[in-house]
Amino acid sequence: ETGGSLSALSGLGGMLFARCCSGTRVVNCTKRDVVGGITFEGYGSHHDKYHTPYLAFACALGVKKREVDVFFQRLHDTLKDFRKKLAKQAKSRR
């Protein structure tokens, strides 16, 4: 939950990258773009009818369980920090 702020989601992607979580992508499925005169709803997402933004993760063949565990710990910590950041922003707007 971003409290209605889709722009905050790009910040989540940056936070993950800063914590050495490469291969992650925040997908804002509400984006519309025109390429070569063709309009794409949900540009950048895997499907044009997703109803909510999502995170996509990539990994390589041969990844070790230990590496996945480290990634998920970093993801957990980042999401916790992200929620705190959103709460602080919401509080300051009151």
mmCIF file of all heavy atoms in Angstrom, residues 26-75:
data_model
loop_
_atom_site.group_PDB
_atom_site.id
_atom_site.type_symbol
_atom_site.label_atom_id
_atom_site.label_comp_id
_atom_site.label_asym_id
_atom_site.label_seq_id
_atom_site.Cartn_x
_atom_site.Cartn_y
_atom_site.Cartn_z
ATOM 1 N N VAL A 26 10.255 -2.386 -10.231
ATOM 2 C CA VAL A 26 8.933 -1.988 -9.773
ATOM 3 C C VAL A 26 8.120 -1.677 -11.024
ATOM 4 O O VAL A 26 8.512 -0.859 -11.845
ATOM 5 C CB VAL A 26 8.997 -0.750 -8.858
ATOM 6 C CG1 VAL A 26 7.605 -0.310 -8.453
ATOM 7 C CG2 VAL A 26 9.839 -1.043 -7.625
ATOM 8 N N VAL A 27 7.005 -2.363 -11.186
ATOM 9 C CA VAL A 27 6.180 -2.204 -12.380
ATOM 10 C C VAL A 27 4.925 -1.416 -12.022
ATOM 11 O O VAL A 27 4.097 -1.882 -11.245
ATOM 12 C CB VAL A 27 5.786 -3.576 -12.982
ATOM 13 C CG1 VAL A 27 4.955 -3.382 -14.238
ATOM 14 C CG2 VAL A 27 7.030 -4.402 -13.268
ATOM 15 N N ASN A 28 4.829 -0.209 -12.560
ATOM 16 C CA ASN A 28 3.652 0.623 -12.377
ATOM 17 C C ASN A 28 2.717 0.338 -13.543
ATOM 18 O O ASN A 28 2.844 0.915 -14.614
ATOM 19 C CB ASN A 28 4.045 2.098 -12.335
ATOM 20 C CG ASN A 28 2.854 3.009 -12.209
ATOM 21 O OD1 ASN A 28 1.711 2.555 -12.187
ATOM 22 N ND2 ASN A 28 3.103 4.292 -12.148
ATOM 23 N N CYS A 29 1.793 -0.554 -13.347
ATOM 24 C CA CYS A 29 0.928 -1.020 -14.438
ATOM 25 C C CYS A 29 -0.109 0.009 -14.868
ATOM 26 O O CYS A 29 -0.861 -0.235 -15.800
ATOM 27 C CB CYS A 29 0.254 -2.316 -14.050
ATOM 28 S SG CYS A 29 -0.685 -2.139 -12.536
ATOM 29 N N THR A 30 -0.133 1.163 -14.234
ATOM 30 C CA THR A 30 -1.076 2.210 -14.627
ATOM 31 C C THR A 30 -0.489 3.130 -15.688
ATOM 32 O O THR A 30 -1.168 4.013 -16.181
ATOM 33 C CB THR A 30 -1.493 3.056 -13.415
ATOM 34 O OG1 THR A 30 -0.353 3.717 -12.897
ATOM 35 C CG2 THR A 30 -2.130 2.188 -12.338
ATOM 36 N N LYS A 31 0.760 2.898 -16.060
ATOM 37 C CA LYS A 31 1.432 3.747 -17.039
ATOM 38 C C LYS A 31 0.888 3.486 -18.444
ATOM 39 O O LYS A 31 0.662 2.352 -18.840
ATOM 40 C CB LYS A 31 2.939 3.473 -16.997
ATOM 41 C CG LYS A 31 3.744 4.380 -17.901
ATOM 42 C CD LYS A 31 5.228 4.102 -17.756
ATOM 43 C CE LYS A 31 6.021 4.978 -18.695
ATOM 44 N NZ LYS A 31 7.439 4.678 -18.627
ATOM 45 N N ARG A 32 0.719 4.543 -19.188
ATOM 46 C CA ARG A 32 0.289 4.459 -20.583
ATOM 47 C C ARG A 32 1.372 5.130 -21.421
ATOM 48 O O ARG A 32 1.871 6.185 -21.065
ATOM 49 C CB ARG A 32 -1.029 5.194 -20.776
ATOM 50 C CG ARG A 32 -1.456 5.285 -22.235
ATOM 51 C CD ARG A 32 -2.651 6.149 -22.396
ATOM 52 N NE ARG A 32 -3.819 5.444 -21.895
ATOM 53 C CZ ARG A 32 -5.040 5.957 -21.870
ATOM 54 N NH1 ARG A 32 -5.238 7.169 -22.298
ATOM 55 N NH2 ARG A 32 -6.038 5.255 -21.410
ATOM 56 N N ASP A 33 1.745 4.497 -22.527
ATOM 57 C CA ASP A 33 2.765 5.074 -23.401
ATOM 58 C C ASP A 33 2.409 4.785 -24.849
ATOM 59 O O ASP A 33 1.694 3.829 -25.148
ATOM 60 C CB ASP A 33 4.142 4.491 -23.075
ATOM 61 C CG ASP A 33 5.277 5.459 -23.367
ATOM 62 O OD1 ASP A 33 5.036 6.477 -24.059
ATOM 63 O OD2 ASP A 33 6.394 5.209 -22.917
ATOM 64 N N VAL A 34 2.895 5.637 -25.728
ATOM 65 C CA VAL A 34 2.669 5.478 -27.156
ATOM 66 C C VAL A 34 4.007 5.218 -27.827
ATOM 67 O O VAL A 34 4.954 5.986 -27.656
ATOM 68 C CB VAL A 34 1.997 6.730 -27.765
ATOM 69 C CG1 VAL A 34 1.789 6.559 -29.266
ATOM 70 C CG2 VAL A 34 0.683 7.030 -27.061
ATOM 71 N N VAL A 35 4.095 4.115 -28.561
ATOM 72 C CA VAL A 35 5.317 3.735 -29.276
ATOM 73 C C VAL A 35 4.929 3.477 -30.730
ATOM 74 O O VAL A 35 4.083 2.617 -31.004
ATOM 75 C CB VAL A 35 5.972 2.477 -28.666
ATOM 76 C CG1 VAL A 35 7.204 2.075 -29.452
ATOM 77 C CG2 VAL A 35 6.305 2.692 -27.197
ATOM 78 N N GLY A 36 5.533 4.230 -31.627
ATOM 79 C CA GLY A 36 5.238 4.046 -33.043
ATOM 80 C C GLY A 36 3.772 4.238 -33.376
ATOM 81 O O GLY A 36 3.239 3.559 -34.251
ATOM 82 N N GLY A 37 3.113 5.150 -32.647
ATOM 83 C CA GLY A 37 1.703 5.416 -32.889
ATOM 84 C C GLY A 37 0.749 4.423 -32.249
ATOM 85 O O GLY A 37 -0.465 4.548 -32.393
ATOM 86 N N ILE A 38 1.265 3.442 -31.540
ATOM 87 C CA ILE A 38 0.427 2.440 -30.875
ATOM 88 C C ILE A 38 0.422 2.721 -29.379
ATOM 89 O O ILE A 38 1.480 2.860 -28.764
ATOM 90 C CB ILE A 38 0.945 1.011 -31.146
ATOM 91 C CG1 ILE A 38 0.941 0.729 -32.653
ATOM 92 C CG2 ILE A 38 0.113 -0.022 -30.394
ATOM 93 C CD1 ILE A 38 1.656 -0.542 -33.033
ATOM 94 N N THR A 39 -0.770 2.799 -28.812
ATOM 95 C CA THR A 39 -0.903 3.064 -27.382
ATOM 96 C C THR A 39 -0.849 1.749 -26.614
ATOM 97 O O THR A 39 -1.547 0.799 -26.943
ATOM 98 C CB THR A 39 -2.233 3.779 -27.080
ATOM 99 O OG1 THR A 39 -2.258 5.012 -27.809
ATOM 100 C CG2 THR A 39 -2.379 4.061 -25.597
ATOM 101 N N PHE A 40 0.003 1.731 -25.588
ATOM 102 C CA PHE A 40 0.132 0.569 -24.715
ATOM 103 C C PHE A 40 -0.391 0.928 -23.336
ATOM 104 O O PHE A 40 0.129 1.834 -22.687
ATOM 105 C CB PHE A 40 1.597 0.127 -24.604
ATOM 106 C CG PHE A 40 2.150 -0.446 -25.874
ATOM 107 C CD1 PHE A 40 2.774 0.378 -26.804
ATOM 108 C CD2 PHE A 40 2.050 -1.798 -26.144
ATOM 109 C CE1 PHE A 40 3.289 -0.143 -27.977
ATOM 110 C CE2 PHE A 40 2.557 -2.333 -27.315
ATOM 111 C CZ PHE A 40 3.180 -1.505 -28.238
ATOM 112 N N GLU A 41 -1.439 0.235 -22.904
ATOM 113 C CA GLU A 41 -1.948 0.382 -21.543
ATOM 114 C C GLU A 41 -1.075 -0.482 -20.643
ATOM 115 O O GLU A 41 -0.691 -1.580 -21.029
ATOM 116 C CB GLU A 41 -3.400 -0.074 -21.456
ATOM 117 C CG GLU A 41 -4.341 0.667 -22.371
ATOM 118 C CD GLU A 41 -4.522 2.123 -22.005
ATOM 119 O OE1 GLU A 41 -4.342 2.480 -20.817
ATOM 120 O OE2 GLU A 41 -4.850 2.910 -22.901
ATOM 121 N N GLY A 42 -0.776 -0.002 -19.469
ATOM 122 C CA GLY A 42 0.057 -0.785 -18.561
ATOM 123 C C GLY A 42 1.455 -0.984 -19.108
ATOM 124 O O GLY A 42 2.066 -2.046 -18.920
ATOM 125 N N TYR A 43 1.980 0.039 -19.768
ATOM 126 C CA TYR A 43 3.282 -0.075 -20.436
ATOM 127 C C TYR A 43 4.367 -0.557 -19.465
ATOM 128 O O TYR A 43 4.521 -0.033 -18.377
ATOM 129 C CB TYR A 43 3.690 1.274 -21.027
ATOM 130 C CG TYR A 43 4.944 1.212 -21.830
ATOM 131 C CD1 TYR A 43 4.946 0.692 -23.112
ATOM 132 C CD2 TYR A 43 6.148 1.655 -21.298
ATOM 133 C CE1 TYR A 43 6.103 0.620 -23.860
ATOM 134 C CE2 TYR A 43 7.309 1.584 -22.036
ATOM 135 C CZ TYR A 43 7.288 1.075 -23.314
ATOM 136 O OH TYR A 43 8.434 0.991 -24.043
ATOM 137 N N GLY A 44 5.076 -1.575 -19.882
ATOM 138 C CA GLY A 44 6.148 -2.130 -19.068
ATOM 139 C C GLY A 44 5.722 -3.319 -18.224
ATOM 140 O O GLY A 44 6.557 -4.026 -17.682
ATOM 141 N N SER A 45 4.422 -3.537 -18.098
ATOM 142 C CA SER A 45 3.959 -4.682 -17.309
ATOM 143 C C SER A 45 3.829 -5.907 -18.210
ATOM 144 O O SER A 45 3.927 -5.813 -19.432
ATOM 145 C CB SER A 45 2.626 -4.371 -16.629
ATOM 146 O OG SER A 45 1.612 -4.190 -17.579
ATOM 147 N N HIS A 46 3.607 -7.042 -17.608
ATOM 148 C CA HIS A 46 3.487 -8.281 -18.360
ATOM 149 C C HIS A 46 2.115 -8.452 -18.999
ATOM 150 O O HIS A 46 1.911 -9.324 -19.840
ATOM 151 C CB HIS A 46 3.789 -9.477 -17.444
ATOM 152 C CG HIS A 46 5.208 -9.520 -17.000
ATOM 153 N ND1 HIS A 46 5.637 -8.893 -15.857
ATOM 154 C CD2 HIS A 46 6.309 -10.064 -17.572
ATOM 155 C CE1 HIS A 46 6.945 -9.074 -15.735
ATOM 156 N NE2 HIS A 46 7.370 -9.777 -16.749
ATOM 157 N N HIS A 47 1.160 -7.639 -18.569
ATOM 158 C CA HIS A 47 -0.214 -7.750 -19.065
ATOM 159 C C HIS A 47 -0.856 -6.380 -18.920
ATOM 160 O O HIS A 47 -0.590 -5.670 -17.953
ATOM 161 C CB HIS A 47 -0.954 -8.795 -18.216
ATOM 162 C CG HIS A 47 -2.289 -9.159 -18.753
ATOM 163 N ND1 HIS A 47 -3.417 -8.437 -18.481
ATOM 164 C CD2 HIS A 47 -2.679 -10.181 -19.552
ATOM 165 C CE1 HIS A 47 -4.451 -8.998 -19.081
ATOM 166 N NE2 HIS A 47 -4.030 -10.060 -19.728
ATOM 167 N N ASP A 48 -1.698 -5.990 -19.837
ATOM 168 C CA ASP A 48 -2.283 -4.647 -19.772
ATOM 169 C C ASP A 48 -3.486 -4.527 -18.847
ATOM 170 O O ASP A 48 -4.064 -3.461 -18.723
ATOM 171 C CB ASP A 48 -2.634 -4.131 -21.168
ATOM 172 C CG ASP A 48 -3.676 -4.959 -21.883
ATOM 173 O OD1 ASP A 48 -4.132 -5.970 -21.324
ATOM 174 O OD2 ASP A 48 -4.029 -4.587 -23.014
ATOM 175 N N LYS A 49 -3.865 -5.581 -18.193
ATOM 176 C CA LYS A 49 -5.029 -5.534 -17.300
ATOM 177 C C LYS A 49 -4.688 -5.730 -15.826
ATOM 178 O O LYS A 49 -5.569 -6.001 -15.020
ATOM 179 C CB LYS A 49 -6.070 -6.594 -17.719
ATOM 180 C CG LYS A 49 -6.606 -6.413 -19.115
ATOM 181 C CD LYS A 49 -7.420 -5.154 -19.237
ATOM 182 C CE LYS A 49 -7.994 -5.067 -20.637
ATOM 183 N NZ LYS A 49 -8.499 -3.778 -20.970
ATOM 184 N N TYR A 50 -3.407 -5.634 -15.451
ATOM 185 C CA TYR A 50 -3.075 -5.709 -14.027
ATOM 186 C C TYR A 50 -3.752 -4.545 -13.319
ATOM 187 O O TYR A 50 -3.782 -3.431 -13.824
ATOM 188 C CB TYR A 50 -1.560 -5.632 -13.810
ATOM 189 C CG TYR A 50 -0.881 -6.971 -13.849
ATOM 190 C CD1 TYR A 50 -0.559 -7.560 -15.058
ATOM 191 C CD2 TYR A 50 -0.555 -7.641 -12.686
ATOM 192 C CE1 TYR A 50 0.064 -8.782 -15.108
ATOM 193 C CE2 TYR A 50 0.070 -8.869 -12.727
ATOM 194 C CZ TYR A 50 0.378 -9.434 -13.938
ATOM 195 O OH TYR A 50 0.986 -10.644 -13.989
ATOM 196 N N HIS A 51 -4.263 -4.783 -12.141
ATOM 197 C CA HIS A 51 -4.984 -3.750 -11.414
ATOM 198 C C HIS A 51 -4.152 -3.084 -10.322
ATOM 199 O O HIS A 51 -4.607 -2.145 -9.695
ATOM 200 C CB HIS A 51 -6.264 -4.331 -10.809
ATOM 201 C CG HIS A 51 -6.003 -5.428 -9.831
ATOM 202 N ND1 HIS A 51 -5.717 -6.710 -10.227
ATOM 203 C CD2 HIS A 51 -5.951 -5.420 -8.482
ATOM 204 C CE1 HIS A 51 -5.516 -7.449 -9.148
ATOM 205 N NE2 HIS A 51 -5.655 -6.695 -8.092
ATOM 206 N N THR A 52 -2.940 -3.581 -10.111
ATOM 207 C CA THR A 52 -2.106 -3.006 -9.058
ATOM 208 C C THR A 52 -0.636 -3.110 -9.450
ATOM 209 O O THR A 52 -0.234 -4.053 -10.140
ATOM 210 C CB THR A 52 -2.366 -3.735 -7.715
ATOM 211 O OG1 THR A 52 -1.642 -3.089 -6.678
ATOM 212 C CG2 THR A 52 -1.946 -5.187 -7.775
ATOM 213 N N PRO A 53 0.172 -2.142 -9.042
ATOM 214 C CA PRO A 53 1.618 -2.235 -9.303
ATOM 215 C C PRO A 53 2.207 -3.464 -8.615
ATOM 216 O O PRO A 53 1.651 -3.975 -7.641
ATOM 217 C CB PRO A 53 2.175 -0.958 -8.684
ATOM 218 C CG PRO A 53 1.015 -0.028 -8.632
ATOM 219 C CD PRO A 53 -0.187 -0.892 -8.391
ATOM 220 N N TYR A 54 3.342 -3.940 -9.125
ATOM 221 C CA TYR A 54 3.963 -5.127 -8.551
ATOM 222 C C TYR A 54 5.480 -5.071 -8.696
ATOM 223 O O TYR A 54 6.017 -4.228 -9.417
ATOM 224 C CB TYR A 54 3.408 -6.400 -9.189
ATOM 225 C CG TYR A 54 3.655 -6.534 -10.682
ATOM 226 C CD1 TYR A 54 4.786 -7.175 -11.175
ATOM 227 C CD2 TYR A 54 2.757 -6.019 -11.600
ATOM 228 C CE1 TYR A 54 5.008 -7.306 -12.531
ATOM 229 C CE2 TYR A 54 2.964 -6.148 -12.957
ATOM 230 C CZ TYR A 54 4.093 -6.789 -13.419
ATOM 231 O OH TYR A 54 4.307 -6.905 -14.767
ATOM 232 N N LEU A 55 6.157 -5.958 -7.989
ATOM 233 C CA LEU A 55 7.607 -6.109 -8.082
ATOM 234 C C LEU A 55 7.922 -7.327 -8.931
ATOM 235 O O LEU A 55 7.278 -8.372 -8.784
ATOM 236 C CB LEU A 55 8.225 -6.332 -6.693
ATOM 237 C CG LEU A 55 8.245 -5.148 -5.750
ATOM 238 C CD1 LEU A 55 8.662 -5.606 -4.356
ATOM 239 C CD2 LEU A 55 9.184 -4.085 -6.253
ATOM 240 N N ALA A 56 8.897 -7.183 -9.799
ATOM 241 C CA ALA A 56 9.380 -8.319 -10.587
ATOM 242 C C ALA A 56 10.837 -8.555 -10.191
ATOM 243 O O ALA A 56 11.594 -7.609 -9.975
ATOM 244 C CB ALA A 56 9.281 -8.016 -12.079
ATOM 245 N N PHE A 57 11.212 -9.809 -10.067
ATOM 246 C CA PHE A 57 12.568 -10.180 -9.667
ATOM 247 C C PHE A 57 13.176 -11.094 -10.713
ATOM 248 O O PHE A 57 12.499 -11.937 -11.276
ATOM 249 C CB PHE A 57 12.557 -10.928 -8.322
ATOM 250 C CG PHE A 57 11.807 -10.212 -7.248
ATOM 251 C CD1 PHE A 57 10.531 -10.603 -6.894
ATOM 252 C CD2 PHE A 57 12.382 -9.144 -6.596
ATOM 253 C CE1 PHE A 57 9.837 -9.949 -5.907
ATOM 254 C CE2 PHE A 57 11.694 -8.469 -5.603
ATOM 255 C CZ PHE A 57 10.425 -8.880 -5.257
ATOM 256 N N ALA A 58 14.454 -10.948 -10.927
ATOM 257 C CA ALA A 58 15.174 -11.813 -11.859
ATOM 258 C C ALA A 58 16.306 -12.506 -11.106
ATOM 259 O O ALA A 58 16.891 -11.937 -10.188
ATOM 260 C CB ALA A 58 15.745 -10.996 -13.005
ATOM 261 N N CYS A 59 16.591 -13.726 -11.511
ATOM 262 C CA CYS A 59 17.735 -14.435 -10.951
ATOM 263 C C CYS A 59 18.326 -15.315 -12.049
ATOM 264 O O CYS A 59 17.688 -15.560 -13.066
ATOM 265 C CB CYS A 59 17.363 -15.257 -9.726
ATOM 266 S SG CYS A 59 16.235 -16.608 -10.063
ATOM 267 N N ALA A 60 19.522 -15.763 -11.844
ATOM 268 C CA ALA A 60 20.216 -16.562 -12.852
ATOM 269 C C ALA A 60 20.207 -18.036 -12.464
ATOM 270 O O ALA A 60 20.096 -18.388 -11.283
ATOM 271 C CB ALA A 60 21.660 -16.084 -12.978
ATOM 272 N N LEU A 61 20.319 -18.879 -13.467
ATOM 273 C CA LEU A 61 20.507 -20.300 -13.195
ATOM 274 C C LEU A 61 21.770 -20.464 -12.370
ATOM 275 O O LEU A 61 22.765 -19.773 -12.593
ATOM 276 C CB LEU A 61 20.643 -21.084 -14.498
ATOM 277 C CG LEU A 61 19.393 -21.152 -15.365
ATOM 278 C CD1 LEU A 61 19.714 -21.823 -16.688
ATOM 279 C CD2 LEU A 61 18.289 -21.910 -14.652
ATOM 280 N N GLY A 62 21.730 -21.326 -11.420
ATOM 281 C CA GLY A 62 22.895 -21.565 -10.581
ATOM 282 C C GLY A 62 22.912 -20.729 -9.319
ATOM 283 O O GLY A 62 23.841 -20.826 -8.526
ATOM 284 N N VAL A 63 21.881 -19.906 -9.115
ATOM 285 C CA VAL A 63 21.830 -19.114 -7.895
ATOM 286 C C VAL A 63 21.749 -20.067 -6.699
ATOM 287 O O VAL A 63 21.115 -21.116 -6.760
ATOM 288 C CB VAL A 63 20.647 -18.118 -7.927
ATOM 289 C CG1 VAL A 63 19.314 -18.827 -7.877
ATOM 290 C CG2 VAL A 63 20.740 -17.113 -6.798
ATOM 291 N N LYS A 64 22.438 -19.708 -5.659
ATOM 292 C CA LYS A 64 22.498 -20.545 -4.458
ATOM 293 C C LYS A 64 21.407 -20.152 -3.459
ATOM 294 O O LYS A 64 20.976 -18.995 -3.418
ATOM 295 C CB LYS A 64 23.858 -20.404 -3.775
ATOM 296 C CG LYS A 64 25.044 -20.674 -4.684
ATOM 297 C CD LYS A 64 25.251 -22.150 -4.861
ATOM 298 C CE LYS A 64 26.541 -22.439 -5.563
ATOM 299 N NZ LYS A 64 26.424 -22.837 -6.939
ATOM 300 N N LYS A 65 20.961 -21.113 -2.658
ATOM 301 C CA LYS A 65 19.949 -20.848 -1.640
ATOM 302 C C LYS A 65 20.394 -19.707 -0.725
ATOM 303 O O LYS A 65 19.594 -18.838 -0.376
ATOM 304 C CB LYS A 65 19.649 -22.097 -0.820
ATOM 305 C CG LYS A 65 18.554 -21.868 0.219
ATOM 306 C CD LYS A 65 18.340 -23.065 1.101
ATOM 307 C CE LYS A 65 17.251 -22.859 2.115
ATOM 308 N NZ LYS A 65 17.281 -21.638 2.886
ATOM 309 N N ARG A 66 21.640 -19.698 -0.363
ATOM 310 C CA ARG A 66 22.194 -18.652 0.503
ATOM 311 C C ARG A 66 21.988 -17.271 -0.129
ATOM 312 O O ARG A 66 21.637 -16.312 0.549
ATOM 313 C CB ARG A 66 23.680 -18.936 0.743
ATOM 314 C CG ARG A 66 24.466 -17.846 1.416
ATOM 315 C CD ARG A 66 25.946 -18.220 1.571
ATOM 316 N NE ARG A 66 26.569 -18.806 0.385
ATOM 317 C CZ ARG A 66 27.027 -18.090 -0.665
ATOM 318 N NH1 ARG A 66 26.936 -16.795 -0.674
ATOM 319 N NH2 ARG A 66 27.603 -18.703 -1.683
ATOM 320 N N GLU A 67 22.188 -17.166 -1.442
ATOM 321 C CA GLU A 67 22.016 -15.897 -2.136
ATOM 322 C C GLU A 67 20.543 -15.466 -2.149
ATOM 323 O O GLU A 67 20.236 -14.278 -1.972
ATOM 324 C CB GLU A 67 22.532 -16.000 -3.575
ATOM 325 C CG GLU A 67 24.030 -16.239 -3.639
ATOM 326 C CD GLU A 67 24.511 -16.620 -5.025
ATOM 327 O OE1 GLU A 67 23.865 -17.493 -5.662
ATOM 328 O OE2 GLU A 67 25.526 -16.043 -5.465
ATOM 329 N N VAL A 68 19.655 -16.423 -2.317
ATOM 330 C CA VAL A 68 18.220 -16.120 -2.286
ATOM 331 C C VAL A 68 17.818 -15.671 -0.883
ATOM 332 O O VAL A 68 17.060 -14.711 -0.715
ATOM 333 C CB VAL A 68 17.390 -17.342 -2.737
ATOM 334 C CG1 VAL A 68 15.898 -17.094 -2.552
ATOM 335 C CG2 VAL A 68 17.704 -17.686 -4.187
ATOM 336 N N ASP A 69 18.347 -16.335 0.132
ATOM 337 C CA ASP A 69 18.053 -15.953 1.512
ATOM 338 C C ASP A 69 18.514 -14.527 1.806
ATOM 339 O O ASP A 69 17.798 -13.752 2.448
ATOM 340 C CB ASP A 69 18.708 -16.927 2.498
ATOM 341 C CG ASP A 69 18.075 -18.312 2.480
ATOM 342 O OD1 ASP A 69 16.939 -18.447 1.964
ATOM 343 O OD2 ASP A 69 18.724 -19.258 2.956
ATOM 344 N N VAL A 70 19.707 -14.182 1.334
ATOM 345 C CA VAL A 70 20.232 -12.816 1.524
ATOM 346 C C VAL A 70 19.323 -11.814 0.813
ATOM 347 O O VAL A 70 18.977 -10.765 1.363
ATOM 348 C CB VAL A 70 21.687 -12.696 1.021
ATOM 349 C CG1 VAL A 70 22.124 -11.242 0.938
ATOM 350 C CG2 VAL A 70 22.629 -13.482 1.921
ATOM 351 N N PHE A 71 18.932 -12.146 -0.406
ATOM 352 C CA PHE A 71 18.046 -11.257 -1.157
ATOM 353 C C PHE A 71 16.747 -11.016 -0.400
ATOM 354 O O PHE A 71 16.299 -9.869 -0.249
ATOM 355 C CB PHE A 71 17.732 -11.834 -2.544
ATOM 356 C CG PHE A 71 16.627 -11.093 -3.237
ATOM 357 C CD1 PHE A 71 16.873 -9.872 -3.843
ATOM 358 C CD2 PHE A 71 15.339 -11.597 -3.232
ATOM 359 C CE1 PHE A 71 15.842 -9.172 -4.462
ATOM 360 C CE2 PHE A 71 14.304 -10.902 -3.842
ATOM 361 C CZ PHE A 71 14.564 -9.691 -4.460
ATOM 362 N N PHE A 72 16.110 -12.087 0.081
ATOM 363 C CA PHE A 72 14.836 -11.919 0.763
ATOM 364 C C PHE A 72 14.980 -11.168 2.086
ATOM 365 O O PHE A 72 14.066 -10.433 2.482
ATOM 366 C CB PHE A 72 14.108 -13.251 0.946
ATOM 367 C CG PHE A 72 13.344 -13.645 -0.281
ATOM 368 C CD1 PHE A 72 13.769 -14.693 -1.065
ATOM 369 C CD2 PHE A 72 12.220 -12.932 -0.670
ATOM 370 C CE1 PHE A 72 13.075 -15.038 -2.222
ATOM 371 C CE2 PHE A 72 11.515 -13.270 -1.813
ATOM 372 C CZ PHE A 72 11.954 -14.324 -2.597
ATOM 373 N N GLN A 73 16.102 -11.308 2.748
ATOM 374 C CA GLN A 73 16.315 -10.525 3.962
ATOM 375 C C GLN A 73 16.443 -9.039 3.612
ATOM 376 O O GLN A 73 15.870 -8.176 4.282
ATOM 377 C CB GLN A 73 17.563 -11.001 4.722
ATOM 378 C CG GLN A 73 17.762 -10.283 6.045
ATOM 379 C CD GLN A 73 16.597 -10.483 6.999
ATOM 380 O OE1 GLN A 73 16.233 -11.608 7.305
ATOM 381 N NE2 GLN A 73 16.009 -9.400 7.470
ATOM 382 N N ARG A 74 17.182 -8.741 2.548
ATOM 383 C CA ARG A 74 17.310 -7.340 2.108
ATOM 384 C C ARG A 74 15.961 -6.788 1.656
ATOM 385 O O ARG A 74 15.628 -5.634 1.930
ATOM 386 C CB ARG A 74 18.327 -7.233 0.976
ATOM 387 C CG ARG A 74 19.745 -7.442 1.447
ATOM 388 C CD ARG A 74 20.720 -7.368 0.297
ATOM 389 N NE ARG A 74 22.072 -7.664 0.757
ATOM 390 C CZ ARG A 74 23.096 -7.851 -0.042
ATOM 391 N NH1 ARG A 74 22.954 -7.762 -1.358
ATOM 392 N NH2 ARG A 74 24.284 -8.123 0.457
ATOM 393 N N LEU A 75 15.179 -7.601 0.954
ATOM 394 C CA LEU A 75 13.853 -7.173 0.518
ATOM 395 C C LEU A 75 12.975 -6.880 1.735
ATOM 396 O O LEU A 75 12.305 -5.838 1.786
ATOM 397 C CB LEU A 75 13.210 -8.255 -0.357
ATOM 398 C CG LEU A 75 11.768 -7.995 -0.785
ATOM 399 C CD1 LEU A 75 11.658 -6.741 -1.640
ATOM 400 C CD2 LEU A 75 11.220 -9.214 -1.529
#
